[in-house]
Amino acid sequence: KLRRSFFLVALLAIYLFGSYASFKTGITWDTEQEQRVLVANVKAVRGLINGDHSPYQTLVAYSDKYYGIGFDAPASIIQALAHRSVARHFGLDSATAYLATKQWLTFTLFFVSALLFFLLSRRVTEDEPFAMLAALGYLLWPYLLGQSFLDIKDSPFLFAWFLCFH
């Protein structure tokens, strides 16, 4: 029981620290570029729906038209709901808060992937203490942790990959 309590407290501490750090990391070139790609795709779809083919033609000529947009559509729903609160809490302008919210979502998916990793490890090894240590090691692995603050493509993919095992 003490082991599980320690594990839960460690998970909570990592999530709170990681969430804060994901908002404070700053916006990367990749995040801004993917936002531009999403906007170009949305304009093209809206244009086609309204019978205007020119935004679609612009998208076809756009070299990065498909660059990393898979996570953007579902993320944009949560971003739209949360970015004003993020802007107020962290003193950010609306556009930066919108993008920072996506970075928090990326970290959150990384965190959930660690929970999935824990469940998978426990199932494979049938050793809960080992699975707990493996999950904490996964969460604190510097490369993965750093990626979860910045990389809005790899962490959501990692989450989906682990989800496929469950």
Side-chain angles (χ1 to χ4, degrees), residues 40-157:
N41 277 273
V42 167
K43 283 181 182 178
V45 169
R46 283 185 182 153
L48 290 173
I49 290 171
N50 294 323
D52 180 7
H53 292 267
S54 62
Y56 178 74
Q57 294 304 323
T58 302
L59 177 65
V60 169
Y62 190 55
S63 63
D64 286 335
K65 62 183 150 271
Y66 304 121
Y67 179 75
I69 62 170
F71 176 57
D72 287 323
S76 65
I77 296 166
I78 296 171
Q79 286 174 270
L81 295 172
H83 81 281
R84 286 183 186 89
S85 296
V86 169
R88 277 192 308 276
H89 184 74
F90 289 98
L92 302 171
D93 63 272
S94 184
T96 302
Y98 189 84
L99 295 176
T101 301
K102 186 183 299 179
Q103 289 182 181
W104 168 74
L105 288 169
T106 300
F107 173 75
T108 298
L109 286 180
F110 166 70
F111 184 82
V112 174
S113 77
L115 299 178
L116 294 172
F117 181 73
F118 164 74
L119 294 173
L120 183 64
S121 297
R122 190 176 66 183
R123 184 182 317 151
V124 169
T125 65
E126 296 180 2
D127 185 353
E128 188 172 87
F130 172 80
M132 288 175 179
L133 286 173
L136 291 174
Y138 173 93
L139 279 168
L140 296 173
W141 185 9
Y143 177 78
L144 288 178
L145 183 61
Q147 285 288 88
S148 74
F149 297 145
L150 300 169
D151 194 330
I152 58 178
K153 291 183 295 302
D154 292 348
S155 293
F157 174 79

Side-chain angles (χ1 to χ4, degrees), residues 28 35 49:
T28 65
Q35 186 64 28
I49 290 171

